[in-house]
Amino acid sequence: MRVVIAGGGIGGLATALSLHAAGFEDVVVCEAAGEIRPLGVGINLLPHAVRELTELGLAERLAEIGVATGELAYFNRYGRPIWSEPRGLGAGYGWPQYSVHRGRLQMLLLEAVTERLGAQAVRTGSRVVSTGPRPGSGADGLRIGTGDLRIEADDLLVGADGIHSAVRAHLFPGEGPPPWNGLVLWRGTTYGEPFLTGRSMIMAGDGTRKFVAYPIETGERTLINWIAERPLDGEAPARGDWNRPADPRRIVEHFADWRFDWLDVPGIISGAEAAYEYPMVDRDPLPYWTSGNVTLLGDAAHAMYPIGSNGASQAIIDARVLAHSLAHGDLAAYETARRPVTTALQLSNRRMGPEVVMKLAHERAPDGFDDIERVVPLAERAEIAASYKRTAGFDPVSLNERPSWSVTR
């Protein structure tokens, strides 16, 4: 069986590597862009995703490009601590958590695919086109590029082509643009001084406005990845486009007085060489992912709000479960294992996931607090964090004890 993967992003490339590790040799990745380049800014890879990349033999390469996250900490709008917890190995996981540049991770995966499957396994300039959406017809009515690669009846087409997936649109015509919740994200990177532990990921906010920062490069200089978020008046531009340029001078106006004794938020925003604007959008959960010889993966299947560091991580897990299921001749097992989990996660992220502690702290103490225990008790904060880990599949004990999805060849 040949597997054709639509999309050369993190999910698509991880799928190719997972299939190869499971014994599939005839795998083709079709990427719409004419060239795969290291675009984007920072992302986080949670321990359950790092486990999968480790079992694919990429642990050393990943450690070279990532910063091992040591702490996750939440603060209110005034920089007062709400909740903090160790992450990665320090939290008892068998694998680290990494903060990494999205583009560097994508290039790492591309390099591994080329080494293991050959350069011919990745075709750029090959966009999936729907010539007549017919739900329930599988790949019938889909073509790739100019038709030089034909999807045959015995092929499996994996739609890993992102939030604007042509494969998803073929299965679910008329879905429309991604729904928007009224918030806009601005993202950028800035060289600056280390803060807190030097490997901390922080989130500060009031339930409406939010600022996130974490290092994605350390050494002589620290490269800080940051995200600023607030409501946007009017209609959201370019829904689903991560690379829309924004002016840092406009962004800093909304966070001008967010100066803490441990972090200068306006200074970080102002110091960015480039920034990008992204309306907070996702996709509604689907009733199914698979139709005939077509299935969905990653954002094409379950695009979710960028909350809890789960977007890329869940795509990597999809890839591993799909390869394991196909190796055992049971494609249906992939969707059975993954769709309920990601649906619950999509809905949890719409409720702000673990970040809801910032909203609760603001609602109960809008002018700040001296003692967080009087505002959001420890037991409540701890359960919010633990519940999200269970939902997303990275509860430490469960993850450490779960059997591997590797396939013995």
Side-chain angles (χ1 to χ4, degrees):
M1 176 183 67
R2 181 177 64 175
V3 182
V4 179
I5 302 166
I10 291 170
L13 295 170
T15 301
L17 290 171
S18 300
L19 290 167
H20 178 266
F24 293 87
E25 300 292 342
D26 198 356
V27 179
V28 181
V29 178
C30 297
E31 166 56 38
E35 178 186 4
I36 297 177
R37 296 183 291 131
L39 301 176
V41 286
I43 59 171
N44 259 257
L45 289 177
L46 298 176
H48 53 353
V50 175
R51 173 180 179 174
E52 303 313 322
L53 295 178
T54 298
E55 294 183 359
L56 287 172
L58 300 173
E60 291 184 5
R61 297 188 194 187
L62 190 56
E64 290 175 357
I65 68 167
V67 174
T69 308
E71 173 194 35
L72 171 65
Y74 295 96
F75 299 83
N76 73 350
R77 147 84 194 78
Y78 304 101
R80 296 285 297 171
I82 297 171
W83 168 259
S84 67
E85 61 183 55
R87 280 297 175 109
L89 300 177
Y93 292 100
W95 303 268
Q97 175 174 327
Y98 284 115
S99 299
V100 62
H101 190 285
R102 175 187 291 272
R104 295 188 71 186
L105 174 62
Q106 186 177 7
M107 299 310 290
L108 182 157
L109 297 175
L110 176 62
E111 181 181 70
V113 170
T114 302
E115 290 172 357
R116 299 177 188 183
L117 285 80
Q120 77 289 343
V122 179
R123 299 191 181 194
T124 55
S126 296
R127 181 184 300 276
V128 175
V129 179
S130 178
T131 58
R134 295 206 301 251
S137 63
D140 186 26
L142 286 170
R143 63 177 174 82
I144 294 178
T146 58
D148 58 322
L149 192 154
R150 180 180 176 82
I151 305 170
E152 305 291 348
D154 293 337
D155 294 341
L156 174 67
L157 175 64
V158 179
D161 48 342
I163 194 168
H164 294 297
S165 168
V167 181
R168 177 180 175 126
H170 173 75
L171 298 180
F172 297 93
E175 186 178 24
W180 175 48
N181 72 351
L183 297 175
V184 63
L185 303 175
W186 291 294
R187 304 170 65 97
T189 55
T190 304
Y191 281 102
E193 295 297 320
F195 53 88
L196 299 180
T197 68
R199 295 189 296 118
S200 297
M201 177 180 185
I202 70 95
M203 300 188 187
D206 56 15
T208 302
R209 291 178 298 168
K210 181 177 71 176
F211 187 79
V212 181
Y214 52 86
I216 58 173
E217 183 181 308
T218 57
E220 294 183 6
R221 296 194 297 174
T222 296
L223 183 61
I224 300 170
N225 184 84
W226 57 265
I227 303 166
E229 173 187 314
R230 71 178 293 271
L232 178 69
D233 297 329
E235 179 58 27
R239 298 189 189 186
D241 179 4
W242 280 103
N243 299 305
R244 178 183 173 86
D247 185 349
R249 292 173 298 181
R250 283 187 49 239
I251 303 169
V252 78
E253 295 173 359
H254 304 289
F255 297 87
D257 59 345
W258 286 45
R259 286 187 171 89
F260 315 141
D261 57 8
W262 50 273
L263 190 71
D264 180 3
V265 172
I268 290 176
I269 296 174
S270 299
E273 293 184 359
Y276 304 93
E277 182 179 79
Y278 182 82
M280 187 178 281
V281 297
D282 66 356
R283 284 291 190 186
D284 292 327
L286 292 174
Y288 62 88
W289 292 354
T290 305
S291 174
N293 61 335
V294 176
T295 195
L296 301 174
L297 181 144
D299 279 357
H302 50 71
M304 58 188 69
Y305 292 158
I307 289 174
S309 308
N310 262 286
S313 294
Q314 294 297 326
I316 291 167
I317 296 168
D318 286 350
R320 292 279 286 165
V321 176
L322 175 61
H324 182 275
S325 301
L326 291 176
H328 290 84
D330 188 3
L331 173 59
Y334 160 63
E335 183 174 333
T336 298
R338 295 298 298 148
R339 189 166 60 83
V341 172
T342 56
T343 293
L345 193 53
Q346 286 176 287
L347 298 177
S348 176
N349 282 7
R350 286 182 173 182
R351 298 188 296 269
M352 298 182 69
E355 298 175 17
V356 74
V357 292
M358 294 184 292
K359 180 174 184 288
L360 294 175
H362 176 72
E363 289 176 344
R364 298 173 188 179
D367 297 322
F369 52 80
D370 293 321
D371 183 2
I372 185 59
E373 184 65 20
R374 295 175 177 270
V375 180
V376 188
L378 176 61
E380 184 177 5
R381 288 174 281 150
E383 176 53 28
I384 288 170
S387 175
Y388 189 76
K389 293 182 180 72
R390 292 192 295 268
T391 299
F394 67 107
D395 168 72
V397 174
S398 300
L399 176 59
N400 290 346
E401 296 179 354
R402 175 180 60 73
S404 173
W405 281 312
S406 294
V407 176
T408 302
R409 299 180 60 174

